Each structure stands twice: as structure tokens, then as C-alpha cells.
Amino acid sequence: MARLIYLDNNATTRPLDAVVEAMLPFMREQYANPSSVHRFGQSVRHQVELAREKVAALIGASAKEITFTSGGTEAINLAVRGTLAVRPERRHVITTAVEHSAVRKLCSRLGEEGYDVDEVGVNGDGCVDPEEITSRLRDETAIVSVMHANNETGVLFDVERIAAVCSDRGVPLHVDAVQSAGKVPLDVGSLPATMLTLSAHKLHGPKGVGALYVRSGTRLEPLMLGGGQERGLRGGTENVAAIVGMGVAAKAAMGDAEVVRARMKSLRDLLEDGLRRVSPGARVIAGNVDRLCNTLNVAFAGIQAEAILLLLSEAGICASSGSACSSGSIELSHVLQAMGIEERLARGAVRFSLSSLTTRAEIDQVISTVARLLSRLGAT
Ligand code: PLP
């Protein structure tokens, strides 16, 4: 089989060799429970705490503000449900129309449970207006939960302004930074968010581990009750190997970050220009606004994204679309729908997401492959 060209890094990333190497000893020799009092256990505990420091450093937090979870989804649920449980009299929740399903499905369940969920829309570029969030804040608002970067379009929200308003009004803000961490500088010193979610597998770490940053002094109820691990916020014996892997990935994301991001952006821009050239009718979604350096969402009018993805896959190229297949029919992406993108375009939207491992040769090959398959589909 030809070498795989992996441009689906917003779905997941390849774990770095250094990550895998660092994890292995914790599945072989260093298997002690970090809660055990013997020296063996305490040496493992030490490694968990070192990983916590590394993850904290990625976002300018202190180690005690980091709680390890089983991933982004659990961290999001802990942030939102944990906050609601602290002040049960507050029944109003604000979120946006383009959140990842971890937030969307949770909020829709909250609606069924009787919470008043306010979903703020986005404009045609996928941007949310911070004023719109401000105008919805009420005395009984329990939490605002917004993403930093959208997983489908890469659009970056103005979380600084949203955080400033929430902080002024004393309303807890949770930021889903799963897609932005490692690709955008993040510093909770200057960003007054109350909580922030991270996921290791989006930054070349292992799957099934994430972290919730909880600002010092914030009260939160645990979802998972158990042995009192993670200062009582998340019971359950720690996934030590994965936590250590996440620490290594977080540290790697900080080294040379500016250079790596500039390189990713220039390759993404090359891909964008190349695809525009081979398909002049294609539309770059959110092409004129602040977005992640690695993400390109391009809509080929009149073609089904699935047809393109299948042919790309046959050529060894991995990309994705925002649409979901449910019970035999293809559901349109809720993100593109919220942006008001016409159906003909939205159905042909393909997301290419690069990583620091992407090469120039791969980008050139993707452009020529897309040119070939578009003519096969009769689209040029
Ligand atoms: N939030 C965003 C924006 C995501 O893109 C994802 C994963 O795709 C998640 C949350 C969920 O993270 P995890 O896969 O670690 O549960």
C-alpha cells in the first residue's frame, strides 16, 4: 500500500515516538498504583505529578489547577455538570450553535432536564459575537460554555472578550480548547476563563486522556465518585501511562511552537491556493477570518463530500467531512448549517487538517490527486 497521507489531524493525531517511548515503562515495569504508600507507588506518583506540571505549563496554569480525565468529553461534562451541581438554583446555560457534540449533546440533555439553554448563533464566517453572549447573561446564568477553535472550520472565537465579560459578571466560563491547545498560544494568566478543557490525542498524545483546568478557588462537584484521586474531583485509579504520555505531548507542543505553527500555516495556505487553482468554483469556508493554522475546510459545489473522501481514501489520503451518516442518510454538518452555508456547498465540504508532521511533498500530492479525482467526478 502507498504511504498514507494523513490530513485528518482534527480527528486525532499520530502519537509522537517520544510519547510512546515514555508510556511503555508504565505498562511494563512501573505498574504500581500511584496512590500506594510504598516507594514503588510513590515513584509512579512522582511521574504523574511531573506530567501535571507539563500540562499546566502549556496553558500557563499551576499544577494544582489540572485534573486528569479520560479525555475532552469527560472534562467538558465535569466542567458543566460540576458547576451546575454547586449552584442548583441557577438554571440558565449559555453555549453556541457550533459546539462539538460533547457540549451539544450535554446541553440538549440539560434542556430535557429543565435547564434553560441559550444557544448563541454564528455569522456566515462562523464567528460568534461576544456582545451576543453578553446580552444573554442573566442573574441566574450558571455557566457559559464556548469552544476556542471550531473542529470543522478552525474558526477561532474571541474567548478573551467573552472571558472578560463573564469574569466581570461573576459567571463561570468553560472554554473547550481541545482543538486550539498546541496550535494557538494559551495562557490562563491573561485569559480569565474559569475552566478549560484539553485532550491529549489532538496534540500528538495518546487517546483516552485529557485534562480540565479549574481556576484556583473555583468550586466544582465531581461526576465520578471513588477513591478520592485528583483531589476528589475525579475518582478512579489514574491512567498513568496515558497521563505521562500527555505530559510529553504537552511539552513537545511548547518547543519551537512559533516556527512549527508558521510552517503548518504556510503548508495549509499552499494547499488552499492549490485547491482553488484546480477547482476555481470551490469555496474556502471561513477563509477570511482568524482560524487555526492547520485547518482548511473547502466546499466543492455540487459534489458529495463522501464521494471525494472515498476516492481520496483509495489514493491513501485521509481527510474528513463534517457531515454524519445516520440511519442511511447523510446529515448535514450542524456547523455549516449554523453558518447559513447553502446546502449544495455544505454537502461538498471537505476538511483537511494538517499537523507538524505534514510535509510539502504530501501537500503537492494531495493537490494533484484532488485535480485528478475532480475530473473523474466530472467536476472540472
Ligand atoms: N471538543 C472538541 C472541539 C473536539 O474536537 C473534540 C474531539 O473531536 C472533543 C471536544 C472531544 O474530545 P475527546 O475525543 O478527547 O473526548
Side-chain angles (χ1 to χ4, degrees), residues 304-319:
Q304 296 287 320
E306 284 61 33
I308 301 176
L309 292 176
L310 207 73
L311 292 174
L312 281 173
S313 173
E314 278 172 12
I317 297 169
C318 304

Side-chain angles (χ1 to χ4, degrees), residues 5-333:
I5 298 182
Y6 187 76
L7 296 188
D8 198 14
N9 288 282
N10 287 9
T12 198
T13 55
R14 177 182 180 151
L16 297 174
D17 288 345
V19 165
V20 177
E21 292 304 323
M23 290 173 68
L24 285 175
F26 296 91
M27 288 183 279
R28 291 194 175 124
E29 307 87 21
Q30 301 201 54
Y31 52 81
N33 188 321
S35 297
S36 294
V37 293
H38 43 70
R39 232 190 252 171
F40 188 23
Q42 287 312 295
S43 74
V44 173
R45 158 68 48 210
H46 181 59
Q47 295 303 321
V48 169
E49 297 315 316
L50 287 181
R52 199 185 306 279
E53 282 170 19
K54 289 176 191 149
V55 172
L58 179 66
I59 58 167
S62 72
K64 64 180 190 320
E65 294 173 309
I66 298 296
T67 298
F68 286 115
T69 65
S70 66
T73 301
E74 186 192 328
I76 287 166
N77 277 266
L78 173 59
V80 175
R81 287 238 184 242
T83 302
L84 295 176
V86 169
R87 305 184 77 169
E89 72 290 357
R90 292 197 176 194
R91 307 286 293 173
H92 181 229
V93 174
I94 302 178
T95 184
T96 82
V98 294
E99 298 297 309
H100 182 268
S101 53
V103 172
R104 263 168 77 75
K105 293 213 171 135
L106 172 59
C107 285
S108 111
R109 175 62 61 86
L110 292 174
E112 287 160 21
E113 291 172 14
Y115 284 90
D116 185 1
V117 179
D118 235 332
E119 208 178 73
V120 176
V122 294
N123 66 14
D125 286 319
C127 301
V128 77
D129 178 0
E131 300 301 328
E132 188 63 27
I133 292 183
T134 310
S135 71
R136 311 261 185 125
L137 287 171
R138 306 183 203 149
D139 289 342
E140 67 273 22
T141 305
I143 187 166
V144 175
S145 183
V146 296
M147 59 195 342
H148 187 193
N150 186 271
N151 42 304
E152 287 186 35
T153 60
V155 169
L156 284 157
F157 284 177
D158 188 350
V159 283
E160 286 79 12
R161 267 177 70 201
I162 298 170
V165 171
C166 290
S167 163
D168 276 355
R169 296 279 296 265
V171 174
L173 169 70
H174 165 249
V175 174
D176 173 358
V178 165
Q179 290 292 344
S180 59
K183 298 173 203 151
V184 174
L186 270 172
D187 179 8
V188 292
S190 54
L191 174 73
T194 321
M195 288 161 289
L196 189 139
T197 284
L198 304 170
S199 176
H201 75 102
K202 308 289 185 182
L203 37 94
H204 300 287
K207 294 167 186 63
V209 62
L212 181 66
Y213 156 80
V214 184
R215 186 171 294 277
S216 277
T218 306
R219 280 174 56 217
L220 206 60
E221 283 288 327
L223 289 182
M224 215 83 90
L225 295 173
Q229 289 88 350
E230 299 296 290
R231 297 169 323 283
L233 253 189
R234 204 275 182 180
T237 301
E238 296 88 341
N239 185 352
V240 175
I243 288 171
V244 168
M246 183 172 189
V248 174
K251 184 152 187 212
M254 292 177 72
D256 265 352
E258 283 311 309
V259 178
V260 171
R261 287 169 195 155
R263 192 178 152 274
M264 259 196 286
K265 181 177 180 310
S266 87
L267 288 178
R268 191 273 313 270
D269 291 346
L270 264 179
L271 178 61
E272 184 170 318
D273 292 345
L275 294 184
R276 280 186 203 272
R277 209 173 47 248
V278 300
S279 177
R283 168 145 151 224
V284 173
I285 308 290
N288 298 317
V289 292
D290 210 9
R291 72 194 145 129
L292 291 175
C293 56
N294 78 319
T295 307
L296 171 63
N297 191 318
V298 57
F300 300 95
I303 310 181
Q304 296 287 320
E306 284 61 33
I308 301 176
L309 292 176
L310 207 73
L311 292 174
L312 281 173
S313 173
E314 278 172 12
I317 297 169
C318 304
S320 75
S321 76
S323 48
C325 189
S326 67
S327 54
S329 66
I330 292 169
E331 237 175 73
L332 266 189
S333 141

